[in-house]
Amino acid sequence: MAKAIEVEKQEIFKKGDPYYCPECQREHKKGKIYNQHLKYVMTPEKEKSEENLIEKDDNEELEKDMQAESKEGYMDDFYPEGEENELLDEISEEEMLAEGEDENEDNANQIEECLEAVKNLPGVGDATFRKLKKAGFKSLESLAFTPPTIIQQESGLGEKTVASLIKASMEQLNIGFKSAEEVWEQRKNITRITTGSQELDNLLGGGIETGSLTELFGEFRTGKTQIMHQLCVNVQLPREKGGLEGGALYIDTEGTFRPERIIQMAEALDLDHQKILKNIIFGRAYNSDHQILLIKEAANLIREKNIKLIIVDSLIGHFRSEYIGRGTLANRQQIINQHLHDLLRLCDIYVDLAVVVSNQVQAKPDVFYGNPLQAAGGNVVAHGSTIRVYLRKGKGEQRIAKIVDAPHLPEGEAIFSITEEGIKD
Ligand code: ADP
Ligand code: MG
């Protein structure tokens, strides 16, 4: 399990909090089971793991890599232990200052913690660590998430080394098979971002869920982009006001992101708009390859910038226009599928991250009953998204949202408005 997740658990689970025991099917507040659980959540992760994750003999290439590195001129042997660590500290401090993070001590601590976790991975010596850091792999998540070929290319490490690093990161992050009990534990950490409309929040079971991918689909001007702007503001609110006290990453494929609109919405909530704008990291994707790359890079930014919301507006647009006439439909679907899985994997790794994508609808004139409008991307998108919200126009500024299929939400509708001040009831 990840160090970072463990820290969150410690923050969330305090002594005195009731512990729901799935075996007894009731909450414990004291007693043996309670004390055992308390001890478990308070134990540092390192002590919990029984053995090193990488076997020695599985590891020839790793050793070769490391030997080669120390010959390559890092001059490991010339630095006494303490001096070298000081050097590392200096670099990271410099980098943080350059990024203007000095005002945010929590954030700096978090970066340090992520780096520490990478450094503590089995098989990571100083030289390997420096290569990873230099190439921008500063957290377990970024290692677990990035395709091996990219890690190899950027860090210069060998294939086997990279494979074992990924395996170890994944194990520490607890990715892979897990028991339903663990899934339940994880789902308990799910929080929500308010949309600004009580009605819409209710429909969504309290707001946009973290750990899930939410797809907003509908025709032109039904409010997809407006809701996404609003979420970028709202995610920054304190938790008691429906936010997550975090930043947003906005990937714009259509050129419709408007900071002016963010300012309007922030001011309507009495927030300092400069601060709000600063916490929205913006990326304009000019084509589908670029869009895919931006999401792959996102893994590195999430911890560093305390990102709690990723927006992709819109998901399919580029793929749709680029693959007309070029390649087959199957080819396009496969690439969309991979991109979608990159996004879903982010949701899986970061329990406190919400991903929201928009999707255009296309008219299907051959359908004579039911709704002739269908989300672009066909079945691939329908199966990959976890919560799908269909938007349509109502009277004037009113819009109607309908849950299309969500694993745990009843189907239903909500009416909300797009106003000067943003999304409202
Ligand atoms: P979509 O992304 O689904 O195509 P948008 O989210 O861009 O649609 O919604 C556009 C609609 O939002 C406009 O038709 C308008 O009604 C409303 N809107 C946009 N900006 C404002 C504003 N400043 N004040 C009030 N309504 C606005
Ligand atoms: Mg739009």
Side-chain angles (χ1 to χ4, degrees):
M1 200 185 293
K3 218 172 175 177
I5 289 174
E6 177 211 338
V7 169
E8 276 159 23
K9 256 199 180 157
Q10 280 184 9
E11 273 171 16
I12 289 166
F13 193 90
K14 294 186 300 293
K15 193 176 174 181
D17 288 349
Y19 164 63
Y20 179 81
C21 170
E23 267 170 67
C24 317
Q25 297 193 344
R26 65 185 180 86
E27 285 188 338
H28 297 277
K29 288 186 182 138
K30 52 186 178 188
K32 195 173 150 203
I33 291 178
Y34 186 78
N35 286 334
Q36 268 173 4
H37 181 73
L38 195 67
K39 202 171 146 204
Y40 180 79
V41 289
M42 301 296 177
T43 309
E45 209 53 35
K46 249 167 73 184
E47 287 170 31
K48 283 184 207 160
S49 69
E50 290 134 30
E51 58 196 44
N52 260 357
L53 297 165
I54 297 178
E55 316 238 310
K56 222 21 212 185
D57 41 335
D58 202 24
N59 218 4
E60 278 165 35
E61 195 183 319
L62 184 80
E63 270 169 26
K64 259 193 268 158
D65 261 337
M66 289 175 49
Q67 275 165 14
E69 281 159 25
S70 28
K71 277 187 207 132
E72 257 169 32
Y74 283 109
M75 300 198 297
D76 279 347
D77 301 339
F78 294 92
Y79 290 108
E81 203 58 268
E83 218 175 301
E84 198 193 332
N85 283 341
E86 256 173 49
L87 210 75
L88 283 177
D89 288 346
E90 245 172 59
I91 294 169
S92 49
E93 246 173 54
E94 246 172 51
E95 278 176 6
M96 277 186 279
L97 285 176
E99 282 167 12
E101 301 287 11
D102 48 343
E103 50 178 318
N104 194 341
E105 215 176 288
D106 279 358
N107 214 354
N109 286 340
Q110 221 171 29
I111 295 170
E112 274 309 311
E113 240 168 60
C114 290
L115 281 170
E116 200 59 31
V118 173
K119 208 174 171 185
N120 288 336
L121 276 177
V124 173
D126 285 331
T128 308
F129 176 65
R130 238 175 294 182
K131 281 193 173 184
L132 289 171
K133 195 174 165 211
K134 198 171 161 216
F137 298 102
K138 298 177 191 169
S139 63
L140 295 180
E141 287 89 347
S142 64
L143 281 171
F145 180 75
T146 314
T149 45
I150 294 186
I151 304 181
Q152 273 169 248
Q153 275 164 19
E154 314 237 311
S155 67
L157 293 167
E159 188 181 334
K160 260 198 178 170
T161 310
V162 169
S164 35
L165 287 175
I166 292 176
K167 184 165 173 267
S169 306
M170 286 179 80
E171 280 178 32
Q172 293 207 9
L173 289 168
N174 215 5
I175 303 171
F177 281 115
K178 46 189 140 191
S179 69
E181 183 191 348
E182 282 175 279
V183 177
W184 170 234
E185 278 298 320
Q186 238 184 352
R187 278 200 65 81
K188 280 198 237 170
N189 293 332
I190 284 173
T191 42
R192 291 182 170 80
I193 309 168
T194 178
T195 59
S197 152
Q198 189 67 50
E199 287 267 318
L200 187 54
D201 283 357
N202 291 344
L203 181 74
L204 293 165
I208 298 286
E209 229 179 66
T210 61
S212 290
L213 190 146
T214 304
E215 178 193 341
L216 306 175
F217 74 105
E219 276 181 278
F220 183 56
R221 291 188 155 246
T222 47
K224 303 180 292 292
T225 300
Q226 294 298 311
I227 294 177
M228 290 169 145
H229 277 63
Q230 186 74 60
L231 289 171
C232 287
V233 176
N234 291 4
V235 69
Q236 302 186 41
L237 289 168
R239 286 179 189 264
E240 64 273 16
K241 292 199 170 154
L244 298 177
E245 292 162 17
L249 185 77
Y250 197 111
I251 296 178
D252 182 10
T253 73
E254 305 189 319
T256 50
F257 178 75
R258 294 286 175 277
E260 310 79 292
R261 193 63 180 125
I262 297 287
I263 294 174
Q264 244 177 355
M265 290 170 170
E267 280 175 350
L269 289 169
D270 260 336
L271 299 167
D272 173 357
H273 67 258
Q274 246 163 340
K275 232 170 155 181
I276 297 291
L277 285 174
K278 203 175 151 216
N279 289 328
I280 302 171
I281 314 283
F282 174 80
R284 174 84 165 93
Y286 291 98
N287 57 49
S288 63
D289 291 334
H290 191 196
Q291 182 179 337
I292 291 169
L293 204 71
L294 284 175
I295 284 300
K296 292 203 189 294
E297 280 173 5
N300 274 322
L301 285 170
I302 293 169
R303 286 269 174 244
E304 264 183 74
K305 306 275 181 194
N306 190 30
I307 301 292
K308 302 274 168 145
L309 170 71
I310 294 185
I311 299 280
V312 183
D313 187 15
S314 72
L315 185 69
I316 306 291
H318 281 319
F319 296 92
R320 248 219 304 192
S321 55
E322 285 170 33
Y323 283 81
I324 285 176
R326 142 149 95 108
T328 59
L329 186 69
N331 188 11
R332 181 188 88 178
Q333 294 303 84
Q334 198 196 346
I335 291 175
I336 293 175
N337 199 12
Q338 277 167 9
H339 181 49
L340 205 65
H341 274 89
D342 284 348
L343 287 164
L344 285 168
R345 194 141 42 136
L346 286 178
C347 299
D348 222 31
I349 298 175
Y350 301 96
V351 204
D352 55 349
L353 174 81
V355 177
V356 182
V357 305
S358 70
N359 197 354
Q360 307 146 322
V361 289
Q362 54 193 15
K364 251 189 120 188
D366 55 345
V367 176
F368 293 109
Y369 53 89
N371 192 332
L373 297 169
Q374 274 208 336
N379 286 336
V380 170
V381 180
H383 291 150
S385 316
T386 29
I387 299 161
R388 314 189 78 207
V389 185
Y390 174 58
L391 300 172
R392 64 179 200 273
K393 279 193 197 168
K395 278 191 204 128
E397 59 187 21
Q398 283 189 343
R399 298 290 185 276
I400 301 146
K402 182 177 162 66
I403 299 273
V404 175
D405 62 339
H408 56 288
L409 294 173
E411 292 199 356
E413 285 194 346
I415 299 176
F416 65 94
S417 308
I418 310 173
T419 72
E420 192 77 29
E421 271 104 51
I423 305 297
K424 294 270 175 278
D425 271 326

